[in-house]
């Protein structure tokens, strides 16, 4: 049976929407920002089945970029998209804590999370990179973007394929007020400009109208 899947994209990006450089993040030392990413992608909505878990969907290059000691990202169902992986049989008996589910497309990833085979999935996050964000943005299911806007400038060679600016945003996407951001994440998200090791950033939530 197929359940509807709402997708939330989560990313940190510079003002020019830069998200990566040479296969990794453009910055180092944003420990609190990374801790926010981990908390928000792990936390279940209050109405979730207590044994549920959230899913994180990523491309193969993003998987490779995660330090081996942190992957699969713990406490989350990890789904990795790779064209070179036949979709043969990821279904039964896979230990989510030990290995990611491998699929050949975002559509297959969506089928996997929405099928009754995994009715224990609560929220579904798209965690990159550029190619996967681009594919997700084409889908009606992409409802929300958790954007950490990095104000300090960094050289980047990978970019989020959509510009989100407070004044001149894509008309389809609107920045939500803090109250709705806090309610959705289930935490009090720090408001205003944050600073870590000389890098400034701001937590934001955007939704499609
Ligand atoms: N979204 C945001 N807001 N910030 C990011 O840095 C980010 N990064 C990615 C996708 N969305 C993001 C992709 N890159 C880890 C490493 C790289 C990565 C995503 C996750 C990672 O190791 N995460 C661990 C945290 C480890 C720690 O505490 O330092 C995790 O458990 O989530």
């Amino acid at each position: 049976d197929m359940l509807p899947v709402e997708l939330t994209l989560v990313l940190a990006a510079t003002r020019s929407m830069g998200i990566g450089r040479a296969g990794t993040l453009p910055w180092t030392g944003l420990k609190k920002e990374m801790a926010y990413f981990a908390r928000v992608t792990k936390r279940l909505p209050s109405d979730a089945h207590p044994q549920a878990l959230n899913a994180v969907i990523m491309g193969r290059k993003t998987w490779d970029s995660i330090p081996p000691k942190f992957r699969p990202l713990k406490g989350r169902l990890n789904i990795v998209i790779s064209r070179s992986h036949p979709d043969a049989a990821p279904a039964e008996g896979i230990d989510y804590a030990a290995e990611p589910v491998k699929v050949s497309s975002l559509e297959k990833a969506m089928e996997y999370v929405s099928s009754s085979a995994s009715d224990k999935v609560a929220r579904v996050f798209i965690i990159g990179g550029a190619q996967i964000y681009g594919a997700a943005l084409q889908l009606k299911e992409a409802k929300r973007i958790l954007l950490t806007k990095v104000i300090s400038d960094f050289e980047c060679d990978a970019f989020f394929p959509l510009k989100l600016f407070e004044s001149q945003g894509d008309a389809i996407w609107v920045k939500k007020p803090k109250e709705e951001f806090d309610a959705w994440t289930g935490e009090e998200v720090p408001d205003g400009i944050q600073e870590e090791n000389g890098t400034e950033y701001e937590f934001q939530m955007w939704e499609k109208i």
Side-chain angles (χ1 to χ4, degrees):
D1 199 36
M2 300 287 271
L3 294 149
V5 269
E6 179 179 291
L7 299 176
T8 297
L9 283 63
V10 56
L11 65 139
T14 64
R15 284 177 298 182
S16 48
M17 301 314 282
I19 57 170
R21 164 110 204 263
T24 186
L25 294 171
W27 43 80
T28 54
L30 298 190
K31 282 197 67 185
K32 290 179 177 174
E33 205 293 316
M34 185 56 83
Y36 160 86
F37 165 89
R39 276 196 318 278
V40 167
T41 55
K42 273 184 226 176
R43 189 179 294 110
L44 298 173
S46 50
D47 63 353
H49 203 263
Q51 291 170 85
L53 83 173
N54 295 334
V56 287
I57 299 177
M58 73 196 91
R60 192 269 305 162
K61 292 178 192 173
T62 295
W63 169 265
D64 287 346
S65 79
I66 299 171
K69 65 176 174 184
F70 290 128
R71 68 187 200 218
L73 297 178
K74 65 177 194 288
R76 290 147 286 184
L77 166 62
N78 287 228
I79 303 179
V80 177
I81 302 170
S82 163
R83 278 188 197 91
S84 67
H85 275 110
D87 291 288
E92 252 106 308
I94 138 153
D95 180 4
Y96 300 146
E99 50 177 319
V101 172
K102 293 165 195 153
V103 296
S104 61
S105 67
L106 179 56
E107 287 66 31
K108 296 278 185 196
M110 309 265 292
E111 280 176 37
Y112 186 81
V113 295
S114 63
S115 70
S116 56
S118 60
D119 58 6
K120 296 289 181 287
V121 174
R123 288 175 167 168
V124 181
F125 293 93
I126 304 289
I127 69 162
Q131 284 183 51
I132 306 303
Y133 289 133
L137 286 169
Q138 307 300 310
L139 304 175
K140 63 176 185 325
E141 290 89 344
K143 291 267 169 60
R144 184 176 301 97
I145 300 175
L146 299 180
L147 169 67
T148 301
K149 184 141 273 193
V150 176
I151 297 145
S152 314
D153 204 35
F154 289 91
E155 193 178 327
C156 295
D157 63 15
F159 295 84
F160 186 69
L162 173 68
K163 300 232 172 202
L164 293 168
F165 296 124
E166 252 131 303
S167 46
Q168 166 238 320
D170 191 296
I172 297 176
W173 292 91
V174 292
K175 195 184 141 202
K176 304 303 283 185
K178 177 185 171 34
E179 303 71 58
E180 286 181 52
F181 191 5
D182 288 355
W184 193 82
T185 58
E187 70 176 63
E188 192 155 325
V189 179
D191 199 16
I193 312 281
Q194 310 298 305
E195 198 258 23
E196 273 190 283
N197 302 308
T199 298
E200 294 191 313
Y201 60 88
E202 187 180 7
F203 297 116
Q204 301 179 351
M205 179 169 82
W206 294 70
E207 281 184 6
K208 215 190 269 176
I209 298 175

